Amino acid sequence: MHMGNTSRIKKRLLIFILIPVLAVIPFLIEDIVVRITSAAILIIYVGFIIFLRDSIKDGIPVTDQETDEEEILPDEEQPLEEPPLEEAPTDDYPSYDTDDGEDFVIVSANKKVEVSSHSANLPGGRKNFFKPPDLKEAFQKIANEVIPENLNQDDQFGFILEKMLQIVKDSFLAHSAVFFWYNRSKSQLTLEKYISSSKDISRRKFDVEDDVLSKIAQNEEPEILSEISPTAESDVIRYYNTKQGIKSFVGVPLYYGKSLTAILAMDSKETDAFGIETIYSMGRFVRVLSILISIYDKKFEESHSELRLKALLGILASEKKFESEQELFLTLEQAVKGLLHWDAFTFVYFKPEEQVFKTAKIANKTTLKYVGENLEIDLNNSLVGKAILSGQVVKIDDSSENEIIRYSKSEDVSFDGSFLAIPMMYDGQYYGVICFESLKKNSYSGSDIKFIKNASKIFSFILYSFSTQKVLKNMLSVDIETNVLNLKTFSDRLYSDLLKAKELDVQGAIALIRIDDFIEQESLFDGDPFPKVLRAVARLINEEMPDIGLLGRLDEKIFGVYFFNVTTKDAFLWAEKLRVKIARQPIAVSTKQTTYTVSIGVASASNTTSIDKVLHNAELALNKALEKGGNSVKSIN
């Protein structure tokens, strides 16, 4: 092995000696032809040597002469003969000469080299990812997630904010992504939403102190902590209830209207998890959030104003008529739905006959326990009593801070949040209190209170008008629409006539006359035809009334007629004559004329002074007439 290397070295020395010889010849011989020839041979010779060396490096096959120069080892030193490689489809494999110490061995388990041309080998050396069978469905479920129905503006923004925090957390491989509102006037931070690998986050208010979040609020600039000591974690990171092993933190301010409004923060259990580039990326996120806030703020103002206007116009509609207190209370409840956000609404009404304030209407949107209707207000020891006695608005931002009495000591309420009570007064007299309660703390702002106070003046006037009309109606003896006796006066006079009839031992009868329904005809007219039909029927009945008798309006569509000293048979004949007259009498409504019918029930009123008994028997007869399909007369002896 060494002898072969020595012989190879000698050959190379002889080859390289020719180079200085050829280089010296031009200096020793003056013949210009010999000089040029010597220089040309030198250049060709050197170039040939360089070409041979480079060709070996580039993998070009060497000449047969170089192959023959390779030393043949003795038989005992010959390596085991290996089967020849299959001929490559393109180029032959080159062989190389090696110097001493440059020997190398190629180890290969397979003699045949295979080249994979599978489509999984994508440009750039990346392989195709595993595609799950439900990839499309899973993606569409995320991309097309529907915003839950019946959400107000705040809840809609909270839904979007939660999705944004999920993106932030996943993008930076954070342990938690947290969003805080900043209240400058109270110097407080309120944790609004968070996405975290931990379930031990406290969603509450934090006073601005000397922790890292407070520094962001005070300095209005981003903060990064790359390594948090385990002993200092609970002091630096205050929104966890217990230690989490947080090592890194980053937080950035969010500006709205050029003032600090919120803080977006992240933390990680890895040391030095965030850098300056993280702050710049989070800056883009908070910019998107500030744009969303401005859009929702503008949209909320417009939509809220429209809802408030619609609510006020609804209660001021010209066709609104309040026939009973319950109808008035229901209308009031519908009106306030668009005025403020509330989870529970209570209308406290003054009962003049009892001279007390009581809960008259309760609306509870939650499943939590709340007060019921007809609960008397404790004027001296409750928030509503305070509003009544002082005539001032009572507002509680956080009802969980202290034990409070809203209406009465006997109340059973499990609400915690905001409470608002607004007294309703007109012309120096209190008619009630409207109360709102929200599960959200600090729910009612100064502008909300100012608006609802002005709106309550409208409600107070409506209550004043309703109460005044009620008093005036009680003072009247006739029905305003038909000019016949009202129910109270008819009942009083009927009792007096029943006593007279019994004392004189004379007969009597009573008839209940009901206007048949004509719903199918209402579409023929622009407005409601009933008032005109009601007055026409009352006029026709009055025209047929006997000299001694009573006529009164007992219900919306029912008239009552009492016949003194008249038998049931004669009353039946009178009723049949009246039925035919009404059915044949055209009544002009708007630009059309049509006919209407009545059903009549006749009963005996002899030998009794019981108004209820007499009216009950007449009602049974009327029901029989109605069961026949209307436009008929039935009697009971």
Side-chain angles (χ1 to χ4, degrees), residues 48-215:
F48 184 73
I49 293 173
I50 294 172
F51 175 77
L52 285 178
R53 300 293 294 180
D54 290 342
S55 65
I56 292 173
K57 293 179 181 179
D58 295 336
I60 299 177
V62 296
T63 61
D64 294 337
Q65 181 179 357
E66 292 172 323
T67 304
D68 294 337
E69 291 176 356
E70 187 173 347
E71 183 178 342
I72 306 299
L73 297 176
D75 293 340
E76 64 273 8
E77 295 182 10
Q78 290 290 339
L80 295 175
E81 187 172 325
E82 295 181 3
L85 292 171
E86 290 184 15
E87 184 177 354
T90 54
D91 299 330
D92 295 332
Y93 293 106
S95 59
Y96 302 95
D97 287 336
T98 59
D99 295 333
D100 187 21
E102 294 179 348
D103 300 276
F104 63 92
V105 179
I106 298 177
V107 180
S108 177
N110 300 319
K111 303 303 178 182
K112 183 177 181 179
V113 179
E114 295 182 358
V115 179
S116 175
S117 60
H118 194 273
S119 61
N121 296 326
L122 299 176
R126 294 180 297 175
K127 294 184 178 180
N128 195 7
F129 65 90
F130 169 71
K131 185 175 181 180
D134 61 342
L135 176 64
K136 181 179 179 180
E137 291 76 9
F139 173 78
Q140 289 181 341
K141 183 178 180 181
I142 297 173
N144 299 325
E145 184 177 0
V146 180
I147 298 179
E149 297 180 357
N150 301 322
L151 293 184
N152 56 35
Q153 297 287 348
D154 291 340
D155 293 335
Q156 287 182 17
F157 177 75
F159 177 84
I160 296 176
L161 178 60
E162 188 173 325
K163 303 305 172 186
M164 291 286 291
L165 291 178
Q166 185 69 61
I167 295 172
V168 171
K169 178 180 180 297
D170 294 344
S171 299
F172 298 99
L173 302 177
H175 178 67
S176 297
V178 196
F179 184 86
F180 298 87
W181 290 115
Y182 175 59
N183 189 327
R184 185 181 300 275
S185 60
K186 295 185 177 181
S187 191
Q188 284 183 335
L189 291 168
T190 303
L191 198 157
E192 177 67 19
K193 288 287 182 181
Y194 65 88
I195 296 294
S196 177
S197 301
S198 172
K199 296 182 179 179
D200 203 19
I201 290 183
S202 177
R203 187 172 179 178
R204 58 185 178 87
K205 291 181 173 64
F206 301 89
D207 293 327
V208 174
E209 297 176 354
D210 57 355
D211 59 297
V212 64
L213 282 171
S214 300
K215 288 182 179 178

Side-chain angles (χ1 to χ4, degrees), residues 407-424:
Y407 306 97
S408 171
K409 292 181 178 179
S410 61
E411 69 186 25
D412 186 10
V413 178
S414 58
F415 267 64
D416 280 332
S418 305
F419 180 81
L420 183 64
I422 299 175
M424 303 178 69

Side-chain angles (χ1 to χ4, degrees), residues 66 100 128 140 149 200 257 261 313 372 377 392 458 466 479 496 518 533 552 584-585 598:
E66 292 172 323
D100 187 21
N128 195 7
Q140 289 181 341
E149 297 180 357
D200 203 19
T261 304
L313 291 177
I377 304 302
Q392 301 295 321
I458 299 175
F466 177 80
D479 178 65
S496 177
F518 49 90
V533 174
R584 291 177 179 177
Q585 180 69 44
V598 294

Side-chain angles (χ1 to χ4, degrees), residues 15-26:
I15 292 171
F16 282 102
I17 287 174
L18 292 176
I19 295 175
V21 172
L22 292 173
V24 173
I25 288 176

Side-chain angles (χ1 to χ4, degrees), residues 19 66 92 129 144 169 189 194 204 241 312 346 350 402 410 443 454 480 495 498 500 526 533 604:
I19 295 175
E66 292 172 323
D92 295 332
F129 65 90
N144 299 325
K169 178 180 180 297
L189 291 168
Y194 65 88
R204 58 185 178 87
N241 294 322
L312 293 177
T346 305
F350 179 68
N402 299 303
S410 61
S443 183
N454 292 328
I480 297 175
Y495 179 71
L498 290 175
K500 292 177 183 178
D526 296 332
V533 174
S604 173

